[in-house]
Amino acid sequence: AFDEDVGLRFQAYGGNVIHLDDANDTKAFAKAIETFKATSDRPTFIVVHSVIGWGSPKAGSEKAHGEPLGEDNVRATKKAYGWPEDKSFYVPEGVAEHFHGAIADRGVDLREKWEATVEKYRAAHPELAAELDTMLKDKLPEGWDADIPVFPADEKGLASRDSGGKVLNALAARVPWLIGGSADLAPSTKTDIKGKPSFEADNYGGQNFHFGVREHGMGGVVNGMTLSHLRSYGSTFLVFADYMRAPIRLSAIMELASVWVFTHDSIGVGEDGPTHQPIEHLATLRAIPGLDTIRPGDANEVAYAWRAALEDASGQAVTGYRAPSFSIDTRNLWAFEELAEAGYAYSSSVAPVVHDHYGWRDAPRYAFRPLKDAGLIQFPVTEAHGRPQPLATRGRFLRPLP
């Protein structure tokens, strides 16, 4: 049913495509591997043609994959392979020794050479070596958060994607291995790192990635970089989270520190048409097990959202940025650092004014308890079309009291 020429597709990408006509031709396979090793200017894609269930009575049939062979067919397959038909879990003499020599013995020499290379690098570049050690431990450098901006009260307001860009750039200046980009939307999501080059074929030192209009691919690349101990992020409009749900979910299941930045989460973007208007997307992200979802309500909440995301190297954060909303004078209201615990407590009897996209409204005054103290969490809300709208929420276990 699937007749696409995948090799031609990767060849069109500019890849080095090698076809192996017989999966059992080990010499041809070894030759293909050597060709891959010798190709340093582009990726190599090896297309291996095989027969499903080769050697069995069910060869060439999907039944070889979807159902057990059965005892008689197993014996017939062993006979076709020249294998003892009456033996199970059989390891012929010399196999274990061969694997030990090919992996363990060879690995010892490679490991010793690698460790010697690391020590030479450490002696020649002590500062960079210290950064590498910190990165490989999934730690952040000393003073990584020293320059995170604090935004003064501002009635006019600042779009949280703009404040997010300022916070990101302050962090990137302190954390060299904080890298990422957007799905062709950096000018809109404000996730470009100013003054830093782009990652390109002739510059592997770039911090800005241009993933193109391929959200799913971006998610996979971000997860891969995070698995390599980099602190990586990817961004797009919230409505396009649908295209990358699989890598987002995988980052949650794998407990990766990938950061997903989604902007334009206001219904106001409906002016671009229904294809750009997020409705159910925030709820679907919050439904993903293990995914921390942070929806900052103003510039300072954006700053603490980024702080919370980077401090937790075993989990990940999703930040949803709203359209312009005014900045609150936080000194007399609450401690934003408690956002990391999913909620924070008022320290004043003055109820803040909360902006939603239907106008300005007074928010009821609530008390809070951090998530770590268990119990039910309460949030400042404003009624919009009869539904409470949280000012800021984090996590999946949130439920306002009646």
Side-chain angles (χ1 to χ4, degrees), residues 292-294 308 336-345 368-373 377-380 390 392-399:
D292 281 342
T293 302
I294 310 176
F336 272 105
E337 57 268 24
E338 294 185 20
L339 178 145
E341 305 297 344
Y344 29 69
F368 298 85
R369 282 183 293 176
L371 181 62
K372 65 180 180 181
D373 294 334
I377 315 299
Q378 294 176 318
F379 291 89
T393 57
R394 181 184 191 213
R396 318 177 298 286
F397 313 105
L398 309 177
R399 185 153 63 103

Side-chain angles (χ1 to χ4, degrees), residues 32-48:
I33 294 296
E34 292 304 316
T35 301
F36 151 67
K37 290 180 179 180
T39 305
S40 58
D41 61 338
R42 52 183 173 157
T44 294
F45 187 79
I46 302 176
V47 183
V48 180

Side-chain angles (χ1 to χ4, degrees), residues 53-137:
W54 180 79
S56 77
K58 296 184 179 182
S61 169
E62 76 284 355
K63 294 181 180 180
H65 173 75
E67 60 186 47
L69 285 176
E71 185 175 346
D72 291 341
N73 286 332
V74 168
R75 293 179 66 88
T77 304
K78 290 178 179 179
K79 183 177 181 180
Y81 292 166
W83 207 252
E85 300 174 38
D86 58 344
K87 292 184 179 292
S88 298
F89 304 103
Y90 176 58
V91 180
E93 184 177 347
V95 170
E97 292 77 11
H98 176 77
F99 271 85
H100 192 281
I103 299 175
D105 292 344
R106 185 173 62 92
V108 169
D109 180 57
L110 292 174
R111 178 71 184 184
E112 290 176 350
K113 290 179 179 178
W114 164 251
E115 290 177 344
T117 300
V118 170
E119 289 306 313
K120 289 180 180 178
Y121 181 82
R122 195 180 302 281
H125 309 282
E127 293 184 1
L128 291 176
E131 284 188 359
L132 181 62
D133 290 339
T134 301
M135 185 185 77
L136 292 178
K137 293 176 182 177

Side-chain angles (χ1 to χ4, degrees), residues 19-270:
H19 284 272
L20 186 61
D21 294 328
D22 182 2
N24 298 298
D25 187 344
T26 55
K27 291 183 178 179
F29 186 77
K31 183 180 179 181
I33 294 296
E34 292 304 316
T35 301
F36 151 67
K37 290 180 179 180
T39 305
S40 58
D41 61 338
R42 52 183 173 157
T44 294
F45 187 79
I46 302 176
V47 183
V48 180
H49 298 272
S50 62
V51 176
I52 190 170
W54 180 79
S56 77
K58 296 184 179 182
S61 169
E62 76 284 355
K63 294 181 180 180
H65 173 75
E67 60 186 47
L69 285 176
E71 185 175 346
D72 291 341
N73 286 332
V74 168
R75 293 179 66 88
T77 304
K78 290 178 179 179
K79 183 177 181 180
Y81 292 166
W83 207 252
E85 300 174 38
D86 58 344
K87 292 184 179 292
S88 298
F89 304 103
Y90 176 58
V91 180
E93 184 177 347
V95 170
E97 292 77 11
H98 176 77
F99 271 85
H100 192 281
I103 299 175
D105 292 344
R106 185 173 62 92
V108 169
D109 180 57
L110 292 174
R111 178 71 184 184
E112 290 176 350
K113 290 179 179 178
W114 164 251
E115 290 177 344
T117 300
V118 170
E119 289 306 313
K120 289 180 180 178
Y121 181 82
R122 195 180 302 281
H125 309 282
E127 293 184 1
L128 291 176
E131 284 188 359
L132 181 62
D133 290 339
T134 301
M135 185 185 77
L136 292 178
K137 293 176 182 177
D138 291 321
K139 303 292 185 181
L140 296 170
E142 192 74 25
W144 66 273
D145 57 351
D147 297 329
I148 293 179
V150 176
F151 299 90
D154 179 7
E155 191 170 311
K156 180 180 178 181
L158 178 69
S160 46
R161 59 192 172 116
D162 287 324
S163 59
K166 296 178 185 298
V167 173
L168 171 62
N169 275 270
L171 291 167
R174 293 270 184 170
V175 185
W177 53 94
L178 176 59
I179 61 177
S182 74
D184 201 36
L185 288 169
S188 296
T189 61
K190 310 295 184 183
T191 48
D192 54 329
I193 300 174
K194 307 296 184 185
K196 296 296 182 181
S198 297
F199 183 94
E200 297 180 293
D202 58 353
N203 183 14
Y204 288 174
Q207 282 184 264
N208 290 301
F209 278 72
H210 303 281
F211 294 105
V213 188
R214 45 177 73 90
E215 291 84 357
H216 177 81
M218 175 178 71
V221 172
V222 167
N223 284 343
M225 290 193 291
T226 304
L227 282 167
S228 301
H229 303 281
L230 297 167
R231 304 308 296 268
S232 187
Y233 64 89
S235 70
T236 186
F237 291 179
L238 178 60
V239 73
F240 300 138
D242 285 346
Y243 296 127
M244 54 184 300
R245 183 176 177 84
I248 294 172
R249 189 172 186 273
L250 281 174
S251 73
I253 293 173
M254 299 169 69
E255 298 185 349
L256 301 182
S258 302
V259 179
W260 311 112
V261 180
F262 297 113
T263 66
H264 296 71
D265 73 342
S266 162
I267 63 164
V269 298

Side-chain angles (χ1 to χ4, degrees), residues 312-383:
D312 186 1
S314 62
Q316 64 295 312
V318 177
T319 57
Y321 290 173
R322 301 183 180 193
S325 58
F326 79 118
S327 296
I328 302 172
D329 185 348
T330 64
R331 292 170 298 179
N332 296 321
L333 291 177
W334 54 71
F336 272 105
E337 57 268 24
E338 294 185 20
L339 178 145
E341 305 297 344
Y344 29 69
Y346 277 21
S347 58
S348 170
S349 60
V350 180
V353 176
V354 180
H355 173 262
D356 65 24
H357 298 291
Y358 305 102
W360 297 88
R361 306 171 189 269
D362 291 329
R365 179 174 178 272
Y366 282 100
F368 298 85
R369 282 183 293 176
L371 181 62
K372 65 180 180 181
D373 294 334
L376 298 175
I377 315 299
Q378 294 176 318
F379 291 89
V381 297
T382 178
E383 294 297 322

